[in-house]
């Protein structure tokens, strides 16, 4: 009978959601008052909807499991940052570009500046909000909006120092027009540039960082589709990314030793995705490289408006070229509950 097939997802959802939901109460909301999000499509919650770009995620089936509405998130449901917000008992951080001036003057729980396609370098997909532009917008919020809420300089300073700054970027810098261009030399250069931008965010008042490393792009659908045999990860790409990720922890530890009160949590998305290819079946993920949208591995592998998705979106690691909600949900569990992929060297948030 099909009974097991149908009950499995419910058991899973209960297992995954309950600890996250109940953990809300065990946190003093004052501990982390807000999340400010910087980065690319992995964490964009809709900024690109407001930019004149050829591609966005403003149409179904994106968001099909997010109340059935596209929001600009590049997945079928919640992103890893949405799960982080749930874990901290905070609302989802709205996209900066979608907020009116009045809304910007009132929001105390954080804002999302992330923009799909963006990178660390200003020349990477420069029609998106590059990291520099995201930092500029954050500076604007500090100067123009937050003073409406925190009218004493000390209060504002405290708010920023207690807030969590999530940064998830770097993968797009490694691709030029769809072609991988990473190398260990490039990784060193990129890390230097990234460090400068983290210092910039720090200089604006941030103290607690949650940094997500670069995912194993060699396993992304459009790359795995070209591997031999099909579906295998491209190890050359993964090795170059590994070299960056390896340096990233050193950069973060160095910043911590140099900057007063700089603290960070490091999240190993790279290893998580590799592991999920092997162990995903335990959670019902049976398809580890083909996208769910389009439900087809020929052509450009792009998810177009109203494409029909795979029949069960919880069986696919990738929704389009981005992780599916189920992958993000398992990530959240491994990060916040099992604590296997998120590590801190100092402050305890999780
Ligand atoms: C953006 O990138 C394009 C192509 O790389 C380049 O021609 C252009 O000058 C850049 N624009 C800015 C404002 O940096
Ligand atoms: C990017 O790739 C497309 C398709 O492969 C090609 O037509 C275009 O000329 C390329 N652009 C650049 C700047 O290399
Ligand atoms: C997705 O939509 C595009 C554009 O409408 C269409 O050309 C393509 O065949 C669709 N793919 C699938 C697998 O349905």
């Amino acid at each position: 009978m099909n009974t097991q097939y149908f009950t499995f997802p419910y058991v899973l959802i209960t297992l995954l959601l309950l600890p996250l939901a109940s953990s809300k109460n065990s946190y003093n909301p004052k501990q982390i008052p807000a999340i400010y999000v910087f980065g690319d499509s992995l964490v964009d919650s809709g900024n690109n909807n407001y930019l004149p770009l050829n591609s966005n995620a403003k149409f179904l089936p994106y968001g099909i499991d997010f109340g059935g509405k596209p929001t600009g998130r590049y997945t079928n449901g919640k992103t890893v940052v949405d799960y982080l917000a749930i874990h901290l008992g905070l609302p989802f951080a709205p996209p900066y570009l979608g907020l009116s001036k009045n809304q910007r003057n009132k929001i105390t729980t954080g804002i999302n500046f992330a923009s799909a396609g963006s990178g660390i370098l200003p020349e990477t997909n420069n029609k998106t909000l590059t990291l520099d532009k995201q930092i500029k917008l954050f500076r604007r919020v500090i100067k123009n909006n937050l003073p409406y809420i925190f009218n004493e300089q000390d209060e504002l300073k405290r708010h920023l120092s207690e807030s969590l700054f999530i940064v998830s970027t770097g993968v797009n810098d490694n691709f030029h027009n769809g072609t991988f261009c990473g190398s260990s030399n490039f990784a060193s250069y990129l890390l230097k540039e990234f460090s400068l931008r983290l210092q910039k965010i720090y200089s604006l008042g941030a103290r607690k960082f949650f940094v997500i490393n670069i995912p194993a792009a060699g396993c992304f659908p459009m790359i795995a589709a070209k591997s031999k045999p099909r579906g295998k990860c491209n190890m050359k790409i993964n090795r170059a990314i590994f070299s960056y990720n390896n340096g990233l922890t050193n950069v973060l530890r160095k910043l911590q030793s140099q900057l007063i009160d700089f603290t960070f949590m490091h999240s190993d998305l790279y290893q998580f995705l590799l592991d999920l290819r092997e162990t995903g079946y335990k959670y019902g993920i049976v398809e580890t490289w083909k996208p769910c949208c389009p439900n087809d591995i020929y052509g450009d592998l792009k998810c177009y408006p109203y494409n029909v998705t795979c029949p069960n979106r919880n069986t696919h690691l990738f929704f389009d070229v981005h992780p599916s909600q189920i992958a993000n949900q398992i990530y959240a569990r491994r990060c916040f509950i099992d604590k296997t992929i998120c590590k801190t060297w100092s402050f305890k948030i999780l």
Side-chain angles (χ1 to χ4, degrees):
M1 273 295 293
N2 271 339
T3 330
Q4 256 194 319
Y5 180 75
F6 283 113
T7 52
F8 178 68
Y10 290 101
V11 172
L12 183 66
I13 284 163
T14 312
L15 276 176
L16 291 170
L17 280 185
L18 277 184
L20 286 175
S22 63
S23 67
K24 257 188 197 179
N25 304 329
S26 59
Y27 286 91
N28 175 355
K30 280 239 166 74
Q31 212 175 343
I32 303 283
I35 49 177
Y36 293 95
V37 185
F38 300 80
D40 54 29
S41 53
L42 195 81
V43 293
D44 187 348
S45 63
N47 282 308
N48 277 24
N49 292 352
Y50 302 91
L51 296 173
L53 297 165
N54 298 329
S55 75
N56 58 45
K58 205 168 31 173
F59 52 83
L60 284 170
Y62 290 108
I64 189 169
D65 299 309
F66 197 96
K69 285 205 189 79
T71 60
R73 284 170 174 78
Y74 284 74
T75 184
N76 53 312
K78 297 185 196 73
T79 67
V80 293
V81 167
D82 293 329
Y83 284 111
L84 179 57
I86 292 172
H87 187 65
L88 296 172
L90 291 170
F92 298 152
Y96 175 86
L97 295 181
L99 295 171
S100 67
K101 190 161 174 277
N102 195 31
Q103 287 170 318
R104 285 172 193 160
N105 289 341
K106 284 191 180 140
I107 192 155
T108 61
T109 51
I111 295 178
N112 189 320
F113 302 97
S115 172
S118 72
I120 295 164
L121 304 176
E123 59 265 31
T124 299
N125 298 326
N126 61 15
K127 287 182 184 154
T128 65
L129 301 178
T130 63
L131 191 51
D132 287 338
K133 289 186 208 162
Q134 295 177 33
I135 294 170
K136 225 175 249 175
L137 294 176
F138 173 54
R139 194 209 306 258
R140 221 182 269 175
V141 166
I142 295 175
K143 192 164 167 275
N144 302 339
N145 309 116
L146 286 174
Y148 278 92
I149 304 151
F150 305 103
N151 36 39
E152 299 290 333
Q153 200 56 29
D154 276 0
E155 274 181 82
L156 175 55
K157 211 172 143 194
R158 179 141 52 90
H159 169 79
L160 294 173
S161 70
E162 289 173 347
S163 296
L164 190 62
F165 289 77
I166 300 147
V167 193
S168 173
T169 185
V171 69
N172 294 315
D173 298 289
N174 282 282
F175 288 89
H176 282 168
N177 205 15
T179 306
F180 187 75
C181 58
S183 67
S184 56
N185 276 346
F186 183 66
S188 309
Y189 167 64
L190 204 53
L191 283 167
K192 250 184 241 150
E193 295 293 313
F194 188 41
S195 177
L196 290 175
R197 279 145 185 105
L198 288 177
Q199 290 172 60
K200 188 107 203 188
I201 300 174
Y202 170 90
S203 74
L204 293 171
R207 293 297 178 267
K208 296 180 176 180
F209 290 81
F210 184 98
V211 180
I212 301 177
N213 68 7
I214 299 187
C219 307
F220 284 0
M222 67 284 201
I223 290 165
K226 288 185 196 143
S227 289
K228 289 197 178 99
R230 266 193 139 186
K232 202 170 162 277
C233 299
N234 180 319
M235 287 317 292
K236 195 175 148 257
I237 293 181
N238 281 356
R239 268 195 295 272
I241 288 175
F242 184 82
S243 148
Y244 171 95
N245 285 338
N246 209 21
L248 177 62
T249 47
N250 296 332
V251 163
L252 292 169
R253 283 192 231 193
K254 195 165 162 205
L255 289 177
Q256 180 163 289
S257 72
Q258 292 173 339
L259 304 174
I260 296 166
D261 292 337
F262 178 101
T263 56
F264 69 92
M265 171 152 292
H266 169 264
S267 167
D268 195 353
L269 181 65
Y270 176 94
Q271 194 57 45
F272 168 73
L273 285 181
L274 288 184
D275 288 348
L276 201 56
R277 281 174 62 93
E278 307 302 324
T279 60
Y281 70 90
K282 293 184 192 163
Y283 303 90
I285 293 180
V286 291
E287 183 48 69
T288 55
W289 72 273
K290 293 176 191 163
C292 173
C293 178
N295 185 25
D296 171 30
I297 53 162
Y298 300 97
D300 59 11
L301 300 193
K302 267 177 99 162
C303 181
Y304 288 98
Y306 307 108
N307 268 158
V308 175
T309 68
C310 57
N312 182 348
R313 293 179 289 277
N314 288 334
T315 57
H316 281 57
L317 200 164
F318 289 99
F319 179 63
D320 60 348
V321 301
H322 302 92
S324 57
Q325 169 171 264
I326 187 77
N328 292 336
Q329 197 173 28
I330 298 167
Y331 165 94
R333 186 185 170 81
R334 296 250 175 106
C335 180
F336 314 135
I337 296 164
D338 304 342
K339 299 179 183 167
T340 48
I341 55 169
C342 296
K343 300 259 158 62
T344 178
W345 277 266
S346 46
F347 74 107
K348 281 207 84 62
I349 56 155
L350 305 167

